Amino acid sequence: MSNSLRTLFDQKKLSIIVSLPENRVDLAKAALDAGADALKFHINVNHRASGNEFKDVDYYMETFREIRELYDGPLGLVLSDDVNKVNQLDLQQIKDIGFTYFSLYSKDITSKLLLQNELEKTVAVDDLFHPNEVKAIENFDMKAVELSVVNKEDYGKPLNFEDITLYMNYRKRTDLPIIIPSQKKLVPEDLDIFHQIGIQSVMLGAVTIGTTEESIYESVTTFAKQASTI
């Protein structure tokens, strides 16, 4: 398995990334055993969906190294939700642990991160980032755009046609791979619609897969099976 996101997107019609609610080996193993194509973790973040406060990279060092030994695919990291902390990070250290890409909101990506080549780059855009602006992202070697564009008050509700047409507005305006995070409570059938409108990946998080080893395994299994039929 390649550890490159771009290779993953080229090889699979619709890939499954799992964003873990906690940085734990058992949760990572459950997601991988269920068929996840890639994993994403967090540091230096107060995470809304899971309700967790994530500490710095040193706190999770051994956990991350153990998870890296489980598989050799793409391993992503949300570096912070504080732009000041982002510039203080040692990206070479993060790469040496085994991470292959970072994920950050556009407001938290600094020039340092745009210029570095240790990690593949992905950017998340929120509901304030207009679809007409997404084309400009192509100039900065981003490997994917994560559409975190659901209004906060709609988190956890079922996906609807309004959401789908919103995603389409972004899809039509860029050639970059698009990742849809599960801000809505997704069901496996949603993957068929995502593929139909040209989405490359879905990122399953706590809203859809829960927070326990059992719920993660069961949920990711159903989504991976659905993705394998596309």
Side-chain angles (χ1 to χ4, degrees):
M1 176 185 292
S2 170
N3 63 20
S4 165
L5 273 182
R6 181 54 66 94
T7 300
L8 174 62
F9 298 148
D10 288 342
Q11 291 178 344
K12 297 201 69 170
K13 293 180 180 177
L14 186 73
S15 58
I16 303 293
I17 301 172
V18 175
S19 178
L20 277 302
E22 295 183 66
N23 298 333
R24 286 168 38 191
V25 176
D26 61 331
L27 300 186
K29 189 174 188 304
L32 293 171
D33 289 347
D37 298 303
L39 299 178
K40 191 181 84 168
F41 298 90
H42 298 75
I43 57 172
N44 302 320
V45 169
N46 291 311
H47 192 240
R48 177 186 176 90
S50 67
N52 289 325
E53 180 180 352
F54 291 91
K55 304 181 188 305
D56 64 27
V57 67
D58 291 334
Y59 184 87
Y60 303 108
M61 186 76 70
E62 293 308 313
T63 297
F64 288 150
R65 291 189 187 280
E66 190 172 345
I67 290 169
R68 177 75 280 183
E69 292 177 0
L70 295 177
Y71 91 130
D72 57 1
L75 200 64
L77 190 63
V78 176
L79 302 175
S80 180
D81 57 2
D82 181 341
V83 68
N84 294 309
K85 291 181 180 180
V86 170
N87 269 346
Q88 298 170 13
L89 291 170
D90 182 344
L91 298 182
Q92 185 61 52
Q93 177 196 37
I94 290 170
K95 179 181 179 180
D96 290 344
I97 295 169
F99 286 100
T100 60
Y101 75 95
F102 74 74
S103 172
L104 282 173
Y105 277 98
S106 55
K107 66 181 179 60
D108 297 321
I109 295 178
T110 63
S111 296
K112 174 183 176 180
L113 287 180
L114 291 177
L115 294 170
Q116 62 82 38
N117 56 17
E118 285 89 357
L119 304 170
E120 287 187 303
K121 302 186 282 281
T122 71
V123 57
V125 298
D126 62 18
D127 56 324
L128 299 178
F129 198 99
H130 195 276
N132 288 337
E133 300 172 329
V134 75
K135 187 71 176 176
I137 294 174
E138 296 177 7
N139 296 292
F140 297 97
D141 194 32
M142 293 290 169
K143 302 307 179 188
V145 180
E146 178 186 326
L147 297 185
S148 298
V149 294
V150 172
N151 293 325
K152 299 292 189 294
E153 59 269 21
D154 291 329
Y155 275 27
K157 296 179 181 179
L159 187 78
N160 59 42
F161 188 51
E162 183 177 354
D163 302 315
I164 293 165
T165 54
L166 177 61
Y167 294 149
M168 273 290 294
N169 279 331
Y170 289 91
R171 172 70 288 168
K172 289 167 62 177
R173 287 168 170 80
T174 180
D175 295 324
L176 288 172
I178 284 180
I179 301 168
I180 301 297
S182 62
Q183 295 174 302
K184 288 299 190 78
K185 188 171 178 56
L186 302 179
V187 295
E189 291 78 11
D190 293 329
L191 301 188
D192 296 286
I193 294 296
F194 289 157
H195 175 60
Q196 182 178 322
I197 66 174
I199 301 302
Q200 281 71 33
S201 187
V202 62
M203 186 168 63
L204 303 176
V207 168
T208 292
I209 63 175
T211 59
T212 69
E213 185 178 355
E214 294 76 16
S215 69
I216 289 169
Y217 179 81
E218 292 173 5
S219 299
V220 175
T221 294
T222 61
F223 279 90
K225 286 182 179 178
Q226 188 75 16
S228 70
T229 67
I230 293 174

